[in-house]
Amino acid sequence: MAFVITSPCKEEKAGECVEVCPVDCIEEGKDMFYIDPDICIDCGACEAVCPVEAIHMEDEVPDDEHEYIALNRKFFEEN
């Protein structure tokens, strides 16, 4: 299981999450950041610093944000 970045990050792109990630699993996309689920070690550092509360554990992503689980995975499959 990994952390997932959801819609509050869109257009916000604060970037604190990238700075604190110990395994560099967060990459910047066109309009938001994405977490590589294959590299994420579930440390929670990114979640703690996100100013817009966009980051959630995969099994705690709000129901209306579930599409972002697939979007995070897809981003790394295409890049």
Side-chain angles (χ1 to χ4, degrees):
M1 187 164 319
F3 280 85
V4 175
I5 299 178
T6 59
S7 68
C9 183
K10 277 193 112 144
E11 307 300 332
E12 173 65 32
K13 292 171 57 171
E16 286 92 334
C17 55
V18 176
E19 297 170 17
V20 301
C21 181
V23 294
D24 296 324
C25 71
I26 303 172
E27 292 188 24
E28 186 173 0
K30 181 181 174 190
D31 56 2
M32 63 181 283
F33 287 97
Y34 297 90
I35 296 175
D36 188 332
D38 295 329
I39 299 175
C40 179
I41 59 170
D42 305 329
C43 70
C46 59
E47 181 183 34
V49 299
C50 182
V52 293
E53 299 180 0
I55 304 173
H56 306 277
M57 281 294 292
E58 186 173 334
D59 65 350
E60 296 176 3
V61 171
D63 290 340
D64 61 340
E65 299 281 323
H66 273 217
E67 67 187 277
Y68 287 90
I69 296 171
L71 286 174
N72 272 263
R73 289 189 185 279
K74 184 178 179 184
F75 177 81
F76 291 98
E77 290 170 0
E78 293 176 350
N79 293 316

